[in-house]
Amino acid sequence: MSPLSSRLPSPLLPPLLVNGLDLSVEDTVAVARDNARELALCPGAELRMKDTYDLKEKLIATGQPIYGVTTGFGDSVTRQISPQKAAALQLNLIRYHLNGTGPEASDEVVRATVLIRANCLSRGNSGVSPVVVERLLDLLRHDVLPVVPERGSVGASGDLVPLCYIASVLTGSGSVRFRGEVREAAEVFAELGLEPLVPEAKDGLALINGTSFSSAFAVLATAAAERLAGVAALCTAMASEALLGNRGHFAAFVHEAKPHPGQLAGAELIAQLLADSRLALPHSQVLDLNDPLDDAGFQHLRRSIQDRYSIRCAPHVIGVLTDTATWATRWLSVEINSSNDNPLFDVDGGTVHSGGNFYGGHVAQAMDSLKTAAANIADLLDRQVQLLVDEKFNNGLTPNLIVPAEQDSWEAGLHHGFKGMQLACSAVTAEALKGTNPASVFSRSTEAHNQDKVSMAPIAARDARTVVGLVEEVAAIHLLTACQALDLRGAELMGSRTRAAYDLIRTRAPFVDTDRRMDADITAVVALIRSGAFDELLTP
């Protein structure tokens, strides 16, 4: 069987027990990216689900109206149906929300969504049977991925439209990606021997009435942003070397005086990366490069004792992203381990409660903040690139980092080096900055003014992942620019850790000795960033 389906679980990892209580952001990202973990429904969660399922059946039998189970949905809550119609109602709920638009969600997003939804339902408050979670886990076990359009959700009552595409596939309808092809779900289920889900009362509502699609984008964006913080520190260290900077700006004393955790971590990492550099020097050595003033009234220093803000303040900018990602992770950990559908069944109280846990406000706020912090990294790195390519500011490097040529050489005046790369970097940065418009404040009244205050979480989370992706492109252009500058400056003088990063980049992108296209270089370095290839170099 293809490695893209029914993947063998990794023997090096214990099974991931889905229980609705302790799914981590890290495990979610790992399953989304690799899907090599064995997945199992925790026995304790299975018992909780059976208890609430039994309570649901008992309450249905009383004839009382239960929202979305024996009543219509949303504004139609005042229309009660008989218990005999409850299952058919769930199928119609799924069908009438199949109206998404836009690009298809990536495999990573779909895997994360399915895992998060399974985990939230396994918490045991939703009134669905364990078979619903098992069917969701079957999609991951066989890597059968529903085709899900990205657009159509306002984030309350949860991610109704995108989650409906997953619910539809569980019933054996709709399209899936399987073994590299888009196929009909029913056909793939038959091939794998999987039984479609036959929805019972509440099943459809429990599957679609939650924040799992928004949360999937959010956890992936947050994980990528955390990695970007380290890459931005690497970029800054390499730029500092290329510009003959002062690594005293990253001294612990300075940052302990303003001890934001992310700022401290960023400064410490940059300092470590530059520890043995012979280009970016300690403050004392920078001072020694200048002549003593003695009795003179004025002199022009040979080497500046203070670098521009985009170098000197880099820990402060990086620190904001690090600290934002930290609290975003904390919020998301709560969200992906929550019962975020409606209504919820209280076994101890023997009753059912209607509420609004589908509201994705924490996801939206976290992602609006994360994308702003990430875009500021793009702005920071873009400024550093401009310093590197501009002969007025690059401390003696060539204009646009071209290879020096004698004035009477044929090559003189023909080449423009990294001029185009700086233009591209500026354009991508502008697009990242544009994407920071907060989505959470654009609530729309929908569904006959029943959903009159909504979170916009899916839009905020999708925007955040888009912005982070753009910042990765900016970082790739920066790393290529810094490597070019350091080749001209003297790569042999780099610190050992920045030199290791330089060597890695040079395995994918050679020195630019004449004008040539560099789009493939950018793509290659973006892939390095996303793969985590720099992570070991950035570990203290």
Side-chain angles (χ1 to χ4, degrees), residues 236-250 274 277-283 285-286 289 303-308 311-312 394-395 489:
T236 299
M238 294 176 73
S240 179
E241 289 187 294
L243 295 168
L244 301 178
N246 181 342
R247 68 176 189 249
H249 300 322
F250 314 114
L274 294 174
S277 175
R278 289 176 285 163
L279 293 169
L281 302 178
H283 183 69
Q285 291 185 31
V286 172
L289 293 173
R303 187 152 167 174
S304 175
I305 62 170
Q306 186 167 278
D307 298 334
R308 288 177 170 80
I311 302 294
R312 185 166 23 122
N394 65 16
N395 209 358
R489 185 71 76 186

Side-chain angles (χ1 to χ4, degrees), residues 57-66 70 80-83:
E57 293 298 305
K58 178 181 177 180
L59 293 176
I60 290 174
T62 67
Q64 67 175 280
I66 303 172
T70 55
Q80 186 176 3
I81 61 171
S82 67

Side-chain angles (χ1 to χ4, degrees), residues 39-325:
L39 302 168
L41 176 60
C42 177
E46 186 173 356
L47 290 174
R48 291 195 303 270
M49 295 183 73
K50 288 178 177 177
D51 287 344
T52 53
Y53 175 85
D54 291 343
L55 174 61
K56 177 194 69 178
E57 293 298 305
K58 178 181 177 180
L59 293 176
I60 290 174
T62 67
Q64 67 175 280
I66 303 172
Y67 171 74
V69 178
T70 55
T71 75
F73 305 108
D75 183 63
S76 300
V77 65
T78 56
R79 301 183 177 99
Q80 186 176 3
I81 61 171
S82 67
Q84 292 75 23
K85 294 183 178 182
L89 180 69
Q90 300 302 305
L91 278 173
N92 281 349
L93 171 70
I94 294 170
R95 289 170 181 145
Y96 82 76
H97 280 103
L98 294 171
N99 46 31
T101 65
E104 296 172 1
S106 70
D107 289 356
E108 287 186 352
V109 169
V110 175
R111 290 192 194 104
T113 301
V114 173
L115 176 61
I116 294 168
R117 196 77 218 118
N119 189 62
C120 291
L121 295 180
S122 73
R123 191 173 176 91
N125 296 314
S126 300
V128 300
S129 72
V131 71
V132 176
V133 170
E134 288 290 357
R135 290 293 179 269
L136 286 166
L137 296 181
D138 280 339
L139 297 181
L140 293 173
R141 290 168 180 142
H142 297 278
D143 214 39
V144 178
L145 303 179
V147 175
V148 182
E150 288 190 0
R151 298 191 189 117
S153 173
V154 293
S157 297
D159 301 321
L160 298 175
V161 170
L163 289 179
C164 263
Y165 285 82
I166 295 173
S168 179
V169 162
L170 289 185
T171 68
S173 180
S175 299
V176 297
R177 286 194 292 273
F178 181 65
R179 301 185 186 179
E181 296 179 346
V182 175
R183 298 172 59 186
E184 291 300 310
E187 178 185 312
V188 173
F189 279 18
E191 184 176 311
L192 294 172
L194 298 176
E195 291 291 330
L197 179 71
V198 179
E200 298 185 54
K202 178 69 197 301
D203 284 357
L205 188 58
L207 283 165
I208 75 169
N209 186 222
T211 60
S212 302
F213 189 67
S214 300
S215 297
F217 275 95
V219 298
L220 292 168
T222 302
E226 287 179 317
R227 174 169 285 156
L228 264 177
V231 172
L234 173 63
C235 289
T236 299
M238 294 176 73
S240 179
E241 289 187 294
L243 295 168
L244 301 178
N246 181 342
R247 68 176 189 249
H249 300 322
F250 314 114
F253 172 82
V254 174
H255 301 280
E256 287 168 357
K258 189 178 182 181
H260 291 293
Q263 178 182 330
L264 285 167
E268 182 181 10
L269 178 54
I270 297 169
Q272 290 174 351
L273 291 169
L274 294 174
D276 55 352
S277 175
R278 289 176 285 163
L279 293 169
L281 302 178
H283 183 69
S284 60
Q285 291 185 31
V286 172
L287 291 177
D288 289 343
L289 293 173
N290 292 302
D291 297 327
L293 185 61
D294 294 334
D295 296 329
F298 170 83
Q299 71 170 336
H300 193 88
L301 296 177
R302 297 175 184 273
R303 187 152 167 174
S304 175
I305 62 170
Q306 186 167 278
D307 298 334
R308 288 177 170 80
Y309 281 19
S310 63
I311 302 294
R312 185 166 23 122
C313 299
H316 309 74
V317 180
I318 295 168
V320 172
L321 177 61
T322 299
D323 290 339
T324 301

